Amino acid sequence: MAESLVGDLTPLDNVPKPEKSRRERTTMTFLTSSLLAAPSTNVGDAGAQINAAWEEYEAADTLESKFVHDVDKLELLLQMVEYERRGEGSVDLGEFVHVAKGIQLGEMKVWCREVLRERKAFWEGKGIVPSHVGDVEKILAEEEKEKEKQKERERDVEGEEGG
């Protein structure tokens, strides 16, 4: 909701995180306390409920809020790949790849890696090495490390059961 007035600020906009938060909080207070709390709206405590949901999202402490943050990041990566495809190899938006590092939940990491694999295949099909390919390789390599850790845990469990 805050983005409707503040705009969708990204790290490339060079707006410090505290300033971005201040702008968004001010906007949410305006929207939920002023507009949605007006007696003429007959919406009851909708403003307070929306503000509480936004505060939960901002705190990023709950599973739901982490999921929404991850969806936001994944959506940015999907847009990046879509715009690159539309540009047929003339547009490289690799500067947004870093967003993938912030994805927290395992299931979302799987989807993120799939998007990055699709991006890699697209550029390979064009015979072009895109920017930030090293970042992509690191993210994809993390998957292999996680698989190895899982195999180790399974071997440990089998060893405990057999021993």
Side-chain angles (χ1 to χ4, degrees):
M1 278 178 64
E3 289 177 2
S4 67
L5 296 178
V6 174
D8 189 6
L9 300 173
T10 71
L12 299 178
D13 293 316
N14 292 319
V15 176
K17 200 165 194 149
E19 175 59 16
K20 178 179 185 269
S21 293
R22 186 198 65 76
R23 291 178 188 182
E24 291 176 346
R25 180 162 272 101
T26 300
T27 301
M28 287 303 294
T29 299
F30 168 72
L31 292 173
T32 59
S33 297
S34 301
L35 295 181
L36 292 175
S40 62
T41 62
N42 294 323
V43 292
D45 64 349
Q49 291 173 355
I50 290 169
N51 198 52
W54 181 79
E55 291 288 350
E56 177 184 338
Y57 168 79
E58 283 297 296
D61 291 333
T62 64
L63 182 60
E64 292 84 357
S65 63
K66 289 175 185 177
F67 176 74
V68 174
H69 276 281
D70 282 359
V71 166
D72 190 43
K73 290 174 179 69
L74 186 61
E75 190 265 339
L76 185 145
L77 293 170
L78 287 165
Q79 279 186 15
M80 173 190 71
V81 172
E82 182 60 27
Y83 292 154
E84 288 177 335
R85 285 182 179 148
R86 285 184 187 177
E88 298 180 2
S90 66
V91 177
D92 180 347
L93 299 171
E95 65 265 23
F96 292 103
V97 166
H98 74 278
V99 169
K101 296 174 187 173
I103 292 179
Q104 298 181 40
L105 303 178
E107 298 87 350
M108 298 302 288
K109 286 181 180 183
V110 171
W111 288 349
C112 171
R113 291 180 189 126
E114 186 58 34
V115 170
L116 294 177
R117 276 192 206 90
E118 288 180 19
R119 178 178 189 260
K120 183 179 175 186
F122 166 77
W123 285 105
E124 286 174 350
K126 296 286 181 189
I128 300 171
V129 176
S131 65
H132 301 273
V133 72
D135 292 337
V136 171
E137 294 300 329
K138 286 178 189 174
I139 293 165
L140 295 176
E142 288 174 10
E143 179 179 35
E144 294 306 315
K145 290 178 189 174
E146 288 176 14
K147 286 180 181 178
E148 283 301 315
K149 286 181 184 177
Q150 180 61 31
K151 286 180 185 177
E152 286 179 26
R153 286 191 292 267
E154 290 171 1
R155 284 192 295 267
D156 289 346
V157 168
E158 289 173 3
E160 289 175 8
E161 290 175 354

